[in-house]
Amino acid sequence: MQKKIVILASGSGSNAEKIIHRFHSSFEIDVLSVISNNRQAGVFDRAKSYGVPCLWIDKKFYQSEQFLSLISNLNPDLIVLAGFLWKIPEALVQNFPQKIINIHPSLLPKYGGKGMYGAYVHQAVKESGDDFTGITIHYVNEYYDQGAIIFQNQVKINATDNVSNIAQKVQQLEHKYFPEVIEKILKN
Ligand code: GRF
């Protein structure tokens, strides 16, 4: 049976695109839909260019039972958060145990939690003077960035790296590993 993915994303969607690209001609894995809370999100254009159905949701709908019904009807094997900024409703976490994953642009538990996303993370890493940063792919539970870790990969930070260089290094890891890890999860 074909495995089904739903992607939730709030921004540019470069990770979502890598995932869609990897599976767009697959018979085994299908990206059913991309859902975003941000009407202007770049992810919509990226998804549409592959013909993936897109949906914009507002907060009221997101927090209602209708959102849970929508996802339940789609019946995904995996819900992938690819830069999705709203906290996942508890009801969704409870109905999809071990079926929601997130990617975080640092080596959790370092530099995670509410408000730690995008450049805020890389800024904190730079200020820390750490020699390494990286990515964490983890299951989603009720708390921001605290679910069980599935995969991590690290990259060296040079003294000359600024926040933008660090972000680029991390993004390269995300694009390489996120689709791979998703495939492994779905094939196991
Ligand atoms: C990524 O850095 C991801 O780790 C974080 O949000 C960012 C999304 O970037 N959760 P993009 O929209 O996929 O380009």
Side-chain angles (χ1 to χ4, degrees):
M1 267 266 272
Q2 198 179 39
K3 299 285 172 105
K4 294 168 291 179
I5 300 174
V6 168
I7 298 177
L8 272 58
S10 300
S12 138
S14 68
N15 281 281
E17 182 172 1
K18 293 285 173 195
I19 296 162
I20 292 167
H21 180 77
R22 183 170 184 109
F23 303 122
H24 80 286
S25 50
S26 164
F27 293 111
E28 294 165 302
I29 296 171
D30 183 38
V31 178
L32 285 180
S33 177
V34 167
I35 299 175
S36 183
N37 60 312
N38 174 6
R39 218 191 276 259
Q40 319 295 340
V43 71
F44 283 142
D45 286 336
R46 294 181 192 262
K48 281 179 196 156
S49 72
Y50 286 87
V52 175
C54 294
L55 179 71
W56 169 74
I57 51 165
D58 65 12
K59 195 120 202 186
K60 196 167 165 226
F61 180 82
Y62 181 68
Q63 289 171 338
S64 72
E65 282 185 12
Q66 286 167 293
F67 181 65
L68 184 59
S69 308
L70 172 88
I71 302 289
S72 301
N73 289 333
L74 289 169
N75 193 25
D77 297 283
L78 200 63
I79 299 167
V80 175
L81 311 186
F84 186 66
L85 294 182
W86 282 352
K87 193 162 186 289
I88 297 304
E90 265 186 50
L92 196 66
V93 174
Q94 280 156 14
N95 279 271
F96 290 87
Q98 306 287 91
K99 283 189 174 179
I100 312 176
I101 65 167
N102 180 45
I103 188 161
H104 187 81
S106 74
L107 296 168
L108 290 174
K110 284 184 158 187
Y111 318 113
K114 192 167 168 31
M116 288 303 268
Y117 62 90
Y120 297 111
V121 175
H122 306 306
Q123 183 73 45
V125 168
K126 174 73 191 162
E127 282 166 12
S128 72
D130 286 357
D131 290 327
F132 289 90
T133 186
I135 60 167
T136 304
I137 298 169
H138 64 94
Y139 287 110
V140 170
N141 66 10
E142 286 86 349
Y143 308 100
Y144 274 112
D145 302 323
Q146 287 187 30
I149 291 174
I150 302 165
F151 176 88
Q152 290 187 305
N153 196 273
Q154 64 179 30
V155 62
K156 176 100 177 69
I157 303 169
N158 301 321
T160 52
D161 282 339
N162 59 26
V163 171
S164 145
N165 300 138
I166 295 172
Q168 271 174 26
K169 287 181 169 181
V170 169
Q171 192 184 51
Q172 279 174 8
L173 295 183
E174 292 185 331
H175 291 174
K176 179 172 190 316
Y177 290 109
F178 204 14
E180 268 183 41
V181 170
I182 289 169
E183 185 165 342
K184 276 195 191 134
I185 292 172
L186 287 171
K187 288 190 172 169
N188 276 338

